[in-house]
Amino acid sequence: MQKLNDLNKTAARITLNGKRHYTTPLPTGPAPSVTTIISETASEANKKKLEMWSKANPGQKEIAAERGTAIHYGMEQYLKGDKQPEIEESYKDFWQGMPSVLDQFQEVLWAETPLLDKHQFTVGSDDVARVWGSDPEGRAWAGAPDIIAVANNKLTLADLKTSVKPYSRKWPSKDLEKGCQEWRDLLGGHMKFKKTCKQLAAYDIAIQQTLGITVQQAAILVSTPVRTQIFKISRRFLDILHDDWYKIVEEYYKQIENCNVYDADLI
């Protein structure tokens, strides 16, 4: 506990070798973020597509990040009691459906940061809260969950996303012409859905290991300018996703070993 107290006198979120990490009391020290692990283990084809999209749409990645930060801030303030958080006019379309969704949470344990005193040990000096986990081989990760709260009498882990276009639980229908705009939109929405499921699995394990609690279900909340989507993830499906997450973690650490990315003097 003393080690954690000392850690929390410094920032919880740090950058190592250009990648987001979090300080942890684990023997391995700072751990890569969930998003870092997912990004680094993406297929070369997907990395190439993202690079090409960024070049073709300069500035859009930064705009999306700013929008996400604004909506996340509104969510945090709303769940902590401010029912009229300040939302910039240009983001109002993305916020309009959020209050009715957030009102479904009857008891909030965590909204970006913990609301309960017993979970304050997760907060660093930068006011960033994180949970940490490791696989059976001791390979660690850490991250900052969006929401842990009770919805419909079930303890729920929820992740909030903002997106210009909707997410999709299913692969595009065979009835659609492959490559048409609707097909591409649905494929993109499905890939984003799958990526978020990976994040939820990582947070779920870390919440169990850090907070000692097990959620009963998960949810993906997607804020779009047209509507706010809710995708429910069962406890059973979360458990299935654990094995997938462990494989991703293993792949990430294999890459680290092969590339010798870390400079020991920086840790």
Side-chain angles (χ1 to χ4, degrees):
M1 184 57 72
Q2 184 58 47
K3 180 179 180 181
L4 183 56
N5 289 337
D6 291 341
L7 277 176
N8 285 341
K9 294 176 183 177
T10 62
R13 183 180 290 155
I14 61 176
T15 300
L16 293 177
N17 298 287
K19 304 298 180 182
R20 177 177 291 180
H21 286 64
Y22 292 90
T23 56
T24 79
L26 297 173
T28 48
S33 72
V34 172
T35 51
T36 290
I37 291 176
I38 291 175
S39 175
E40 292 299 301
T41 55
S43 69
E44 290 304 316
N46 284 339
K47 289 179 181 178
K48 187 69 174 180
K49 288 178 183 177
L50 181 59
E51 181 182 351
M52 292 175 61
W53 181 88
S54 296
K55 288 181 178 179
N57 299 275
Q60 290 304 305
K61 186 177 180 180
E62 291 74 17
I63 290 173
E66 290 177 5
R67 181 182 66 232
T69 297
I71 300 302
H72 273 78
Y73 175 78
M75 172 273 291
E76 178 183 0
Q77 297 306 304
Y78 193 93
L79 290 178
K80 289 181 177 178
D82 181 359
K83 300 305 180 182
Q84 293 185 324
E86 290 188 18
I87 303 295
E88 190 175 318
E89 189 63 34
S90 57
Y91 303 138
K92 289 289 180 69
D93 287 347
F94 288 88
W95 177 255
Q96 63 182 351
M98 288 302 302
S100 60
V101 170
L102 297 176
D103 284 339
Q104 296 182 41
F105 295 109
Q106 304 109 21
E107 180 184 348
V108 182
L109 282 68
W110 187 295
E112 296 289 338
T113 58
L115 276 69
L116 303 182
D117 289 343
K118 64 181 180 179
H119 296 152
Q120 294 301 315
F121 69 89
T122 62
V123 184
S125 65
D126 52 358
D127 292 327
V128 171
R130 76 289 197 203
V131 292
W132 49 85
S134 60
D135 69 4
E137 302 301 319
R139 293 173 288 224
W141 67 89
D146 289 340
I147 302 170
I148 306 174
V150 177
N152 295 321
N153 297 316
K154 288 186 176 182
L155 186 60
T156 305
L157 164 64
D159 199 72
L160 170 61
K161 300 295 184 185
T162 64
S163 178
V164 173
K165 296 179 180 179
Y167 278 33
S168 174
R169 187 186 291 267
K170 298 179 179 180
W171 187 269
S173 169
K174 293 180 180 179
D175 296 333
L176 289 175
E177 179 185 352
K178 186 175 182 180
C180 72
Q181 187 61 54
E182 185 179 0
W183 185 92
R184 292 202 304 270
D185 289 347
L186 287 171
L187 177 62
H190 179 65
M191 299 306 291
K192 290 178 180 179
F193 171 82
K194 289 182 64 177
K195 179 179 177 180
T196 308
C197 284
K198 296 174 184 178
Q199 289 180 272
L200 287 170
Y203 293 145
D204 179 45
I205 297 168
I207 287 168
Q208 291 181 33
Q209 295 184 10
T210 304
L211 305 182
I213 59 178
T214 301
V215 301
Q216 295 168 283
Q217 63 180 4
I220 301 172
L221 314 179
V222 186
S223 164
T224 81
V226 177
R227 66 184 188 276
T228 300
Q229 299 174 287
I230 304 175
F231 296 94
K232 294 182 179 179
I233 311 296
S234 69
R235 177 68 257 174
R236 179 175 175 275
F237 189 46
L238 270 178
D239 290 336
I240 292 172
L241 290 168
H242 284 191
D243 286 340
D244 292 337
W245 175 248
Y246 286 143
K247 291 176 183 176
I248 293 169
V249 171
E250 181 180 9
E251 174 61 27
Y252 175 80
Y253 277 90
K254 282 182 178 179
Q255 289 184 18
I256 295 299
E257 292 172 4
N258 293 337
C259 298
N260 194 24
V261 169
Y262 288 96
D263 183 342
D265 292 336
L266 297 178
I267 301 179

